[in-house]
Amino acid sequence: MNFNLTQIPTRTQQPRNSGITMVMDKGLSITEVHNFMSVSGPHVDIVKLGFGTSFVTPKLREKIEAYKSYNVPIYFGGTLFEAFLVRNQFNDYISVCKDYGVDYMEVSDGSITIPHAEKCGYIEKLTQHGTVLSEVGSKDAAHIIPPYKWIELMRAELEAGSSYVIAEAREAGNVGIYRGSGEVREGLVQEILTQIPEEKILWEAPQKAQQLYFLELIGCNVNLGNIAPQEVIALEAMRVGLRGDTFELYLDKA
C-alpha cells in the first residue's frame, strides 16, 4: 500500500483462496484490458468474460493472452456453457476451453433446466480439465428457490468438485439472492451461511449496497463477484475501511 495507516484489516494475498474479487468483463478492448489491469491488477483475482460475449469478441485469443500476461485466470460466462449444452455440444465446449487455454470453467443452469444430478455430473467431468465454479440460482425472478434447496444444491456441487459455488444475481443484481429492487434476501443468505463455508461461496454483488452488506456481514475477505472493472479500486478501498460506508468498520479492531 502507498501509506502507513494503522487499524487497516489484513487482506489475503494473491493468489487468494478467499477475499476474491471476480470481475465481469462485458466487452473491454485489448487496450482497455491493459489499462484496467495496470491499475487494478493487484486486486483482481478472476475475470469472467460475461455471458456469451466471448462468442462475438474480436481478437478473443489476443484478449485472453492479455489477461494471462497479468497472471489472472479467466473463464467464459456460464451462459456460454449453457449455450453449448442446450445444443448437445458439451464436448465442443471442453475443446474450446482447451483451444483458448481457458482452464477455469463455470457450470450454470440459470437459463436452461438441467436435472441436478446431471449438472453435478458435468462438474465432475470438467474437474478433469481445470478449475470449476458452479452457479446456483435462477435468472428468472419468478423462480424462487427456498433456502434449504440452495443449501442442498450448493453442498452437492461442492462435493461434485466445484472449487466455489457462485450465488446467482445476474449482472444487475436483481435476482437470486436479491429481490427485484436489489435488496439482499438476508434470511436466505444467513441461512446458507449456517451450512456452507463462507470461503467456498462467491457472492455476485454488482451494486455497492450489496458489497457493503457482505463486507459488514462476513468481513473484508468475503468473496465478491460480478464487479465492474471501473469499480475494483473503489471496492478494495471499501474492503479496508477507506470509503465512507466502511470508514468506522475496523477502527480499534484491526
Side-chain angles (χ1 to χ4, degrees):
M1 299 304 160
N2 296 320
F3 319 113
N4 179 24
L5 277 176
T6 63
Q7 302 180 62
I8 297 293
T10 302
R11 284 283 278 126
T12 50
Q13 299 297 306
Q14 290 179 321
R16 298 183 180 96
N17 294 317
S18 62
I20 287 170
T21 296
M22 179 268 276
V23 172
M24 177 185 272
D25 176 339
K26 296 194 291 184
L28 295 181
S29 70
I30 294 167
T31 298
E32 287 170 329
V33 167
H34 286 295
N35 289 342
F36 159 53
M37 291 300 294
S38 70
V39 174
S40 302
H43 311 300
V44 176
D45 301 293
I46 310 173
V47 172
K48 170 169 65 177
L49 302 183
F51 33 102
T53 55
S54 51
F55 183 78
V56 295
T57 297
K59 299 181 180 179
L60 176 61
R61 203 176 299 276
E62 188 177 339
K63 182 174 184 177
I64 290 170
E65 290 305 317
Y67 276 119
K68 284 188 173 185
S69 72
Y70 295 94
N71 295 315
V72 61
I74 69 158
Y75 68 96
F76 300 133
T79 301
L80 187 72
F81 165 80
E82 294 178 53
F84 273 92
L85 197 63
V86 79
R87 293 168 172 81
N88 297 313
Q89 292 182 258
F90 176 68
N91 289 331
D92 290 340
Y93 173 78
I94 295 173
S95 297
V96 165
C97 290
K98 286 184 176 180
D99 183 37
Y100 282 88
V102 172
D103 52 12
Y104 273 55
M105 289 151 281
E106 180 181 325
V107 175
S108 68
D109 56 355
S111 299
I112 63 175
T113 299
I114 309 172
H116 197 244
E118 186 178 322
K119 182 182 180 186
C120 289
Y122 291 124
I123 293 170
E124 290 177 1
K125 290 174 183 175
L126 289 176
T127 58
Q128 301 171 29
H129 304 283
T131 300
V132 177
L133 303 90
S134 62
E135 189 173 69
V136 176
S138 175
K139 290 179 171 61
D140 181 355
H143 184 204
I144 303 299
I145 303 172
Y148 82 89
K149 194 66 176 176
W150 280 81
I151 292 167
E152 182 182 297
L153 297 174
M154 285 180 163
R155 182 181 288 127
E157 293 179 21
L158 288 169
E159 289 174 354
S162 288
S163 294
Y164 299 94
V165 284
I166 302 171
E168 169 72 79
R170 295 196 79 171
E171 60 179 297
N174 57 5
V175 297
I177 53 172
Y178 306 109
R179 296 184 173 88
S181 63
E183 180 186 2
V184 180
R185 294 173 60 195
E186 294 189 44
L188 167 62
V189 167
Q190 293 180 24
E191 194 160 343
I192 288 171
L193 286 169
T194 66
Q195 301 293 324
I196 306 298
E198 63 187 44
E199 65 272 15
K200 288 293 186 179
I201 306 171
L202 204 165
W203 308 95
E204 292 188 338
Q207 299 181 24
K208 186 181 81 164
Q210 297 165 352
Q211 298 159 15
L212 176 61
Y213 171 81
F214 285 108
L215 288 170
E216 291 179 333
L217 180 67
I218 296 175
C220 69
N221 288 312
V222 63
N223 299 322
L224 298 174
N226 281 14
I227 307 302
Q230 67 270 23
E231 296 296 329
V232 170
I233 293 292
L235 170 58
E236 192 63 28
M238 188 159 67
R239 280 188 185 271
V240 297
L242 295 176
R243 191 169 181 172
D245 309 87
T246 56
F247 190 81
E248 297 184 7
L249 199 56
Y250 308 107
L251 292 179
D252 298 320
K253 296 179 184 178

